[in-house]
Each structure stands twice: as C-alpha cells, then as structure tokens.
Amino acid sequence: MKRIVLTLAAVFAFGFANAQDAKSTANAGQTAKGKWLIEANTGFGAAHAANTSFGLDSTDGETTWSIGAEGGYFVMDDLAIKAGLGYVDMGDDVSAFSYKIGAKYYIISQIPVQLDYSGASIKDADENPSYLGIQGGYAIFLGQNVSIEPGLRFNKSLNDDFYDDVFQVRIGFALHF
C-alpha cells in the first residue's frame, strides 16, 4: 500500500511539473527577445510623488491622485528594459511630473521581478524625491497579448530628510506585442 501511494504521488508530481513547464513555454512568447511591453499599474498603500501608476489616496482631507504608464522592450528572453512617465496632483496647488527607468525580469517567464529608479519634479520644491524600487509578483496571462500582474513593491527613499520609504500592494495590467 505504501508503494502504491508513493508511486501515485510521484506520478502526480511529475505530471504537475510537466504542466508547469508547458505553461512556462507557452508564456515564453510574450516575454521573448524583441517583444514590447506596455503597462498600467495601480497601487494600494502609501502614496508618493514619484509615481507612474494610477492611484487615488485621501488622508486627513487631502486628496492625491496620479496617472501614468510604463513601457519596455525585451532585450533578451524574459528581460525588459523599461521607462515610465506620470503626473501626480497632491492638492493645494502642488503637482509633480514623475519618471522611472529600470529592468524587469520574468523568472520562468511567469514571475516578474523589477528593479528601478524613480524620481519626480515637484512644482516649486527645493528638493525633489527619488526612490530605488524593487517589485515582485506573478504574471497571469489571459491570452496572447494580455497579462495581469499582482505583486508587492517597496520604494527606498534616497532623500531621507524629506521623504519616507513606501510599501505598496500593486496590480499591473500589461500588453505584450
């Protein structure tokens, strides 16, 4: 009986591994060298000025909203070089244009990990924020050209005197061409 159970467990494990390998191979086309990536992200958690995603935050009667997008090019299979632009309105006639540059790597064509630098130019500010960010998640491919990528993001402030570190839960929507 013990041998039968172990044999069934081995068969199921082998079948699961093959299914995952086939799924990764099927998704590899979306992250292949020469492909393009366009992303729109939403962030839940603390808002910050160097933001290239869609967001809405209201704290103590102050409303902050942002809009932005990111794009990238796969320089090799599973590795995209990215750039993003955004606009943030922080209320009280304070606004910022934000930017981001970085790289995104898809582990087994399914698990995106991103490292980037983001910053903002705030209207009439003496100092502008900048962040070093890391993000990870999981890519759910809905079809040939569309994925949803939920994940976690941490932005380490490079301006310790004026801006805080930011942790966010994110949902990304990506188009792959």
Side-chain angles (χ1 to χ4, degrees), residues 43-93:
F44 306 97
H48 63 92
N51 198 348
T52 59
S53 66
F54 292 91
L56 180 63
D57 181 57
S58 184
T59 305
D60 298 330
E62 290 293 323
T63 301
T64 300
W65 62 270
S66 62
I67 187 169
E70 300 175 21
Y73 179 76
F74 286 91
V75 294
M76 61 183 272
D77 287 353
D78 297 325
L79 178 64
I81 302 300
K82 293 181 53 183
L85 293 173
Y87 175 79
V88 181
D89 185 323
M90 294 171 269
D92 292 332
D93 198 35

Side-chain angles (χ1 to χ4, degrees), residues 61-144:
E62 290 293 323
T63 301
T64 300
W65 62 270
S66 62
I67 187 169
E70 300 175 21
Y73 179 76
F74 286 91
V75 294
M76 61 183 272
D77 287 353
D78 297 325
L79 178 64
I81 302 300
K82 293 181 53 183
L85 293 173
Y87 175 79
V88 181
D89 185 323
M90 294 171 269
D92 292 332
D93 198 35
V94 177
S95 60
F97 286 98
S98 53
Y99 55 90
K100 182 186 291 183
I101 56 171
K104 186 174 196 174
Y105 183 74
Y106 286 80
I107 300 168
I108 64 169
S109 301
Q110 197 100 32
I111 302 170
V113 177
Q114 180 171 310
L115 181 63
D116 53 58
Y117 171 82
S118 59
S121 176
I122 299 176
K123 179 181 171 186
D124 299 327
D126 292 333
E127 183 178 9
N128 289 308
S130 59
Y131 296 89
L132 185 59
I134 187 165
Q135 179 175 320
Y138 187 78
I140 303 165
F141 288 92
L142 301 177
Q144 192 70 350

